[in-house]
């Protein structure tokens, strides 16, 4: 990595060229995409539940090894608060260990129950969470890094809805482990801002959905490329599970149910079920399904290869750093 432009504790921890972490993306985080991120100098995470069977997941890991030019990639484990719902995760973790994956991104709930297995296998784990309290407890549980999410994030930004700017100014100062800042990210200017705030890297997800290597239908990506920061909705607050998604028929329907005070989950199911999201990616009909989209969709203006997106971020960060040096 002779021409490494930004070396941080995160590039050292993951053994990557750039301090760019690409968060796991349900249905979309496959070998093709994750290895493109690896080749471009960042790190991405394969989402095991995106594949029909554990053996299909294993195939993806093998394919990612083949396509990554020996560069690192990881596995995303989205942990449920209900322990019984996490049985599959143990199987996914075993497969990841058998297939010599060295990096894990955990999210959703405390990684504590998985830490012994992760550490026995010598893996490095980054836990993604939304409050300083959760970040501290992940650090105490032994994680190697924390990704802290701000309210702008696609997916689950948490219930406190703390802005990324505040998270960045608070959390890195309070932790000993390196911190990656997330939520609303997509530019080189923001990467420099993350580092200025004291974070050691930047995490992107929504920005990458329009990448050429993402298998989603062209019409879905085209729609995202037209959207701005006002085009997302926060749904499911009524269940204490904020979710930032694309503004469309389904998210409006969910918001109407919430406005009525309806707390019967079955009423929501036709709009929020996961296979509807997958269907939107398959057929490009973005009007149905509650697909995760963050405010950073504003930066997803063009369908282009992962390498072009990451190079663009790094080139801009380099220019911005030079500009700041002149002040
Ligand atoms: C399409 C999509 C799917 C996602 N699926 C997952 C997932 O399966 N597991 C997870 O930990 N986070 C998931 N996330 C959250 C991201 O990894 C990341 O934390 C968040 O999107 C960062 O905010 P940003 O979208 O503004 O970059 C998803 C996000 C998107 C946009």
């Amino acid at each position: 990595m002779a021409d490494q432009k930004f070396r941080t504790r995160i590039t050292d921890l993951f053994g990557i060229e750039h301090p760019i972490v690409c968060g796991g993306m349900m249905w979309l985080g496959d070998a093709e995409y994750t290895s493109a991120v690896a080749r471009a100098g960042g790190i991405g995470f394969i989402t095991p539940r995106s594949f029909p069977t554990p053996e299909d997941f294993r195939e993806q890991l093998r394919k990612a090894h083949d396509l990554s030019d020996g560069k690192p990639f990881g596995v995303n484990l989205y942990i449920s608060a209900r322990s019984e719902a996490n049985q599959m995760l143990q199987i996914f973790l075993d497969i990841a260990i058998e297939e010599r994956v060295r990096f894990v991104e955990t999210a959703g709930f405390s990684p504590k129950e998985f830490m012994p297995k992760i550490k026995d296998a010598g893996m490095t784990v980054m836990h993604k969470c939304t409050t300083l309290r959760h970040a501290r407890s992940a650090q105490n549980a032994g994680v190697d890094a924390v990704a802290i999410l701000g309210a702008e994030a696609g997916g689950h930004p948490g219930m406190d809805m703390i802005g990324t700017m505040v998270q960045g100014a608070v959390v890195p100062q309070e932790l000993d482990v390196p911190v990656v800042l997330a939520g609303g990210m997509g530019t080189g200017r923001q990467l420099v801002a993350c580092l200025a705030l004291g974070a050691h890297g930047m995490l992107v997800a929504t920005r990458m959905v329009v990448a050429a290597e993402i298998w989603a239908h062209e019409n879905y990506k085209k729609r995202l490329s037209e959207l701005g920061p006002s085009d997302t909705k926060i749904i499911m607050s009524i269940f204490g599970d904020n979710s930032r998604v694309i503004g469309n028929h389904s998210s409006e329907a969910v918001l109407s149910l919430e406005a009525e005070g309806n707390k019967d989950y079955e009423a929501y199911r036709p709009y929020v079920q996961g296979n509807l999201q997958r269907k939107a990616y398959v057929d490009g009909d973005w009007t149905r399904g509650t697909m995760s989209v963050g405010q950073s969709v504003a930066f997803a203006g063009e369908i282009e290869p992962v390498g072009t997106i990451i190079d663009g971020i790094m080139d801009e960060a380099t220019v911005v750093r030079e500009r700041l040096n002149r002040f």
Side-chain angles (χ1 to χ4, degrees), residues 25-30 47 49-51 215 274-275 277-278 281:
M25 293 197 287
M26 182 62 189
W27 301 124
L28 306 176
D30 63 3
T47 43
R49 285 191 205 276
S50 301
F51 311 102
W215 65 263
N275 57 6
Q277 296 158 20
R278 184 166 185 283
Y281 299 141

Side-chain angles (χ1 to χ4, degrees), residues 34-311:
T34 308
S35 58
V37 171
R39 292 193 306 272
I43 187 164
F45 300 89
I46 292 182
T47 43
R49 285 191 205 276
S50 301
F51 311 102
T53 68
E55 284 313 302
D56 293 310
F57 165 56
R58 187 192 296 278
E59 272 311 305
Q60 290 291 315
L61 299 182
R62 291 183 177 173
K63 192 171 166 193
H65 276 303
D66 287 345
L67 297 176
S68 295
D69 292 348
K71 295 184 174 171
F73 66 90
V75 163
N76 173 275
L77 297 181
Y78 198 84
I79 303 167
S80 170
R82 292 176 302 115
S83 189
E84 67 279 9
N86 292 329
Q87 279 166 11
M88 280 311 290
L89 295 187
Q90 297 286 1
I91 294 169
F92 294 143
L93 187 53
D94 287 339
I95 292 175
I97 292 167
E98 285 159 21
E99 297 301 326
R100 299 169 289 108
V101 175
R102 290 166 34 230
F103 301 99
V104 185
E105 175 195 43
T106 54
F109 194 68
S110 169
K112 219 171 178 170
E113 71 172 284
F114 299 94
M115 288 307 293
K117 194 180 273 185
I118 288 173
K119 285 290 135 194
D120 284 352
M123 294 170 120
T124 295
V125 56
M126 177 188 79
H127 183 65
K128 198 167 60 183
C129 57
T130 61
T131 68
L132 175 60
R133 185 169 64 83
H134 291 121
R136 275 207 184 103
S137 95
Q139 176 174 272
N140 291 340
V143 303
D144 302 286
V146 161
I148 191 78
L149 280 169
E152 297 93 321
H156 298 273
M159 292 308 288
D160 290 0
M161 296 298 274
I162 303 162
T164 302
M165 198 76 183
V166 172
Q167 300 282 42
V170 170
V171 177
Q173 280 72 12
E174 296 291 329
L175 298 188
D176 298 322
V177 295
V179 174
V180 176
L181 193 52
M185 301 295 178
T187 66
R189 328 191 267 291
Q190 290 167 305
L191 172 56
V192 174
C194 289
L195 301 179
L197 287 165
H200 308 89
M202 168 171 107
L203 184 143
V204 286
T206 299
R207 172 69 186 91
M208 307 306 286
V209 178
V210 294
E213 292 86 347
I214 289 277
W215 65 263
H217 197 284
E218 199 82 350
N219 289 351
Y220 184 76
K221 294 187 199 174
K222 276 201 182 115
R223 178 61 185 169
L224 285 202
S225 72
E226 294 160 2
L227 299 182
S230 307
D231 295 320
T232 72
K233 301 283 176 198
I234 291 287
I235 61 168
M236 305 304 269
S237 311
I238 197 165
F239 295 107
D241 185 22
N242 279 347
S243 185
R244 190 180 290 284
V245 299
I246 192 168
N248 64 7
H249 171 82
S250 299
S251 53
E252 289 301 342
V254 168
L255 286 173
S256 299
L257 289 169
E258 290 188 62
E260 289 163 15
N262 191 328
K263 291 190 176 165
D264 175 12
Y265 189 83
E266 288 312 309
Y268 292 81
R269 197 183 294 281
Y271 306 108
V272 300
Q273 54 191 330
N275 57 6
L276 263 188
Q277 296 158 20
R278 184 166 185 283
K279 186 172 177 303
Y281 299 141
V282 170
D283 63 22
D285 177 7
W286 56 268
T287 64
R288 297 280 187 285
T290 47
M291 287 71 76
S292 293
V293 174
Q295 293 177 346
S296 52
V297 72
F299 310 121
E302 235 164 288
I303 300 169
E304 52 196 358
V306 165
T308 307
I309 296 174
I310 291 187
D311 284 352

